[in-house]
């Protein structure tokens, strides 16, 4: 069965009823010491009828105001009514000022003042109080509507600005992720290819280098595919769930790749291992990945160490190198000069309220130390997720 919806909403009906009630109360309880105006059934009905066009004020604001003015003028000329600028007329004029451009609003305001004064004064010159009250009321209503319009425009502009900023932040995050992945894996692949070319006479060394090269390329493609899927807003759901992001459990593999790439790297863990929130675990992995990549790029023939320390309320990742006894070349880009890698580290750490310390060591080399706080709730939640994943 086809049900036709009414052309007005519940809010329209509530506003119409409220404005009608206020006009009726003003009509019934108007203080008339001279006894010129008497409440009548006809006046009651005409005042109530004048509110009915407000039901269409959202879809047809100008037509609703015109109907209100005609009915209001008819009531004023037919039944003795006190001079008034009622709530129904205020709502109708306000709706026009909210929905229509300035020229239409100005014409509506002039028509409202003129017709109201002519109808309520019965064609005579109105008293100065009425002559001032009607234009002043109109000006207040139109000014309030314009102020609300301006406020809503500013709110909408701020929302668009925040949405654009969120998109830009997400793109920067993806750029940092891609930088971490590409820089690490491409550096490893380049070193593996160079090592294989330099050791063509040793098949085992070449084989290990090619295996690492293949594995690193496959992993880079997989991680980039996961990140680029973020850009597919509104696409159909994936048939196969994406693989999990790397974390602290992958630090052993990261260190092994660093060794195969020609950088002697030690790895140690202090404190009892425990599950970490996935985002914190990913942050630890990315910091170690970026620091080792920078070491291979800038430290020359150096040795590196990665140390993961579990504290009671925080976790610390330290990546240090001895510099290989070679001073940095003049004009070479410094690790801490503000490239995308270092910016990514700082923003990742700042996201969790942690601290990041980067810079040269007193005895030579370079150090990257990130300290990330862990709340009790985060640790408990990670433990529950870890336990549930193994059930």
């Amino acid at each position: 069965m086809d049900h036709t919806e009414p052309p007005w909403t519940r809010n329209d009906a509530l506003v119409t009823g409220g404005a009608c009630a206020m006009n009726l109360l003003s009509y019934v309880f108007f203080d008339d010491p001279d006894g010129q105006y008497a409440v009548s059934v006809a006046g009651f009905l005409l005042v109530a009828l004048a509110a009915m066009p407000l039901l269409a004020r959202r879809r047809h604001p100008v037509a609703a105001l015109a109907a209100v003015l005609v009915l209001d003028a008819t009531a004023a000329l037919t039944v003795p009514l006190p001079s008034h600028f009622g709530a129904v007329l205020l709502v109708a004029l306000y709706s026009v000022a909210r929905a229509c451009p300035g020229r239409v609003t100005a014409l509506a305001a002039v028509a409202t003042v003129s017709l109201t004064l002519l109808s309520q004064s019965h064609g005579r010159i109105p008293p100065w109080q009425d002559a001032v009250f009607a234009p002043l009321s109109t000006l207040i209503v139109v000014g309030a509507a314009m102020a609300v319009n301006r406020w809503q425009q500013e709110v909408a502009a701020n929302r668009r600005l925040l949405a654009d900023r969120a998109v830009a932040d997400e793109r920067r995050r993806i750029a940092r992720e891609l930088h971490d992945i590409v820089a690490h894996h491409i550096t490893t692949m380049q070193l593996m290819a160079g090592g294989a070319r330099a050791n063509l006479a040793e098949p085992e060394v070449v084989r290990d280098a090619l295996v690492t090269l293949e594995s690193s390329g496959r992993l880079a493609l997989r991680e980039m595919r996961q990140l680029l899927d973020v850009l597919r807003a509104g696409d159909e759901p994936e048939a196969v769930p994406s693989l999990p992001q790397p974390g602290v459990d992958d630090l052993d593999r990261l260190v092994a790749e660093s060794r195969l790439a020609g950088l002697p790297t030690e790895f140690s863990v202090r404190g009892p291992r425990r599950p970490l929130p996935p985002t914190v675990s990913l942050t630890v992995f990315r910091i170690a990945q970026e620091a080792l990549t920078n070491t291979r790029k800038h430290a020359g023939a150096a040795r590196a160490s990665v140390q993961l320390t579990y504290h009671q309320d925080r976790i610390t990742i330290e990546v240090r190198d001895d510099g290989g006894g070679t001073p940095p070349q003049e004009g070479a880009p410094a690790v801490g000069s503000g490239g995308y890698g270092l910016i990514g580290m700082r923003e990742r750490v700042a996201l969790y309220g942690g601290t990041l310390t980067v810079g040269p060591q007193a005895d030579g080399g370079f150090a990257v130390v990130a300290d990330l706080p862990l709340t009790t709730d985060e640790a408990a939640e990670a433990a529950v997720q870890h336990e549930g994943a193994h059930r």
Side-chain angles (χ1 to χ4, degrees), residues 65 72 379:
L65 175 62
D72 212 26

Side-chain angles (χ1 to χ4, degrees), residues 32-115:
D32 180 24
D34 299 332
Q36 297 179 3
Y37 306 106
V39 176
S40 64
V41 176
F44 194 91
L45 293 177
L46 285 174
V47 171
L49 182 63
M52 293 301 103
L54 292 183
L55 293 173
R57 66 187 182 89
R58 290 186 183 274
R59 295 189 178 185
H60 309 288
V62 176
L65 175 62
V68 167
L69 287 173
V70 171
L71 292 172
D72 212 26
T74 302
L77 295 173
T78 305
V79 181
L81 291 176
S83 298
H84 69 287
F85 198 86
V88 171
L89 193 55
L90 291 177
V91 173
L93 181 59
Y94 179 82
S95 300
V96 171
R98 285 293 313 277
C100 299
R103 180 176 299 179
V104 175
T105 301
L107 293 175
V110 172
T112 300
V113 173
S114 302
L115 193 57

